[in-house]
Amino acid sequence: AQSVTQLGSHVSVSEGALVLLRCNYSSSVPPYLFWYVQYPNQGLQLLLKYTSAATLVKGINGFEAEFKKSETSFHLTKPSAHMRDAAEYFCAVSDRGTSGTYKYIFGTGTRLKVLA
Amino acid sequence: SQTIHQWPATLVQPVGSPLSLECTVEGTSNPNLYWYRQAAGRGLQLLFYSVGIGQISSEVPQNLSASRPQDRQFILSSKKLLLSDSGFYLCAWSVFRHPVEKLFFGSGTQLSVL
């Protein structure tokens, strides 16, 4: 079964600094990977997804992620943090489920704090 | 356009009481539906998913059950709540049966079992 591991449950950065949120995957087949963001008391929104078309994936709000097979990683980055980036971020992988559909397995999340 | 409704937004229930959370999707047919629970420090845990009416797949054996009585309705239930059932419950849906499908999430229900 597929799984993802997020290193660091809390990350703090200064406004304007680089954001790096880590995600490693475990998969017996080529994985399909996702990053979602959750603002307080809300559902999750998709930031970006890796579909094997390109190893560097650009998403919304200036975020991007790079798929590295040799490191089994899919880390999320943003060159310059904004206060509005403060949220919880989840890495996810799709896994084959029953009845021909797919289920989505999420990591434990990383809460990003942006300091003024 | 498609929308997802989830209610109630917050719920406080005593231990041993029943539970019913409802999720409905509008603007699409035959969606894949999911229930997730988010507990502090444990991330987002997949509880159930469904590909059609009456078809429920369970991921975690526990005190909860799910049903899909109509195409766009997904219900999470419990006969007797436990303290450990507290958490933020999220309903989600996707359109196609493809591994790179985007999930659309509802706004969640904060359940506190006291």
Side-chain angles (χ1 to χ4, degrees):
Chain A
Q2 329 289 44
S3 66
V4 290
T5 301
Q6 290 184 245
L7 300 177
S9 58
H10 292 81
V11 170
S12 294
V13 300
S14 298
E15 191 173 21
L18 171 71
V19 176
L20 171 61
L21 304 181
R22 300 178 185 273
C23 174
N24 288 89
Y25 69 87
S26 174
S27 175
S28 57
V29 297
Y32 296 102
L33 297 160
F34 308 78
W35 276 100
Y36 283 80
V37 61
Q38 183 183 32
Y39 298 102
N41 300 314
Q42 294 184 26
L44 280 70
Q45 304 171 35
L46 180 69
L47 274 178
L48 49 82
K49 61 182 178 181
Y50 169 70
T51 63
S52 75
T55 57
L56 183 62
V57 182
K58 294 187 183 298
I60 61 172
N61 302 337
F63 284 93
E64 62 182 36
E66 187 172 8
F67 175 75
K68 292 187 177 180
K69 184 178 179 180
S70 60
E71 299 177 9
T72 61
S73 69
F74 190 57
H75 301 332
L76 182 71
T77 60
K78 182 174 180 178
S80 176
H82 292 273
M83 298 298 290
R84 62 177 177 265
D85 295 327
E88 190 156 20
Y89 293 80
F90 291 90
C91 182
V93 63
S94 61
D95 192 9
R96 184 175 290 277
T98 58
S99 306
T101 192
Y102 288 84
K103 54 186 179 181
Y104 299 86
I105 309 303
F106 285 78
T108 51
T110 297
R111 188 170 296 278
L112 176 66
K113 186 174 181 179
V114 182
L115 307 172
Chain B
S1 63
Q2 304 94 342
T3 56
I4 179 169
H5 301 281
Q6 197 179 335
W7 67 91
T10 59
L11 190 60
V12 180
Q13 292 285 100
V15 170
S17 64
L19 173 73
S20 180
L21 301 181
E22 189 164 342
C23 170
T24 58
V25 180
E26 295 179 358
T28 188
S29 297
N30 197 29
N32 304 308
L33 296 171
Y34 305 82
W35 276 113
Y36 286 88
R37 178 171 61 199
Q38 187 176 11
R42 298 184 64 181
L44 214 58
Q45 181 184 36
L46 178 61
L47 302 176
F48 302 94
Y49 62 101
S50 171
V51 300
I53 296 174
Q55 300 181 62
I56 308 296
S57 296
S58 174
E59 283 294 294
V60 184
Q62 56 199 332
N63 187 42
L64 302 170
S65 62
S67 61
R68 186 169 176 175
Q70 300 181 44
D71 181 44
R72 289 169 288 180
Q73 184 185 32
F74 204 23
I75 298 172
L76 184 69
S77 304
S78 173
K79 293 182 179 178
K80 289 185 177 181
L81 283 168
L82 306 172
L83 287 173
S84 57
D85 292 324
S86 293
F88 191 52
Y89 288 81
L90 287 160
C91 181
W93 67 277
S94 66
V95 178
F96 301 109
R97 299 178 186 182
H98 192 278
V100 292
E101 271 298 291
K102 172 182 177 179
L103 284 179
F104 296 89
F105 283 84
S107 53
T109 295
Q110 183 66 54
L111 172 66
S112 299
V113 182
L114 306 176

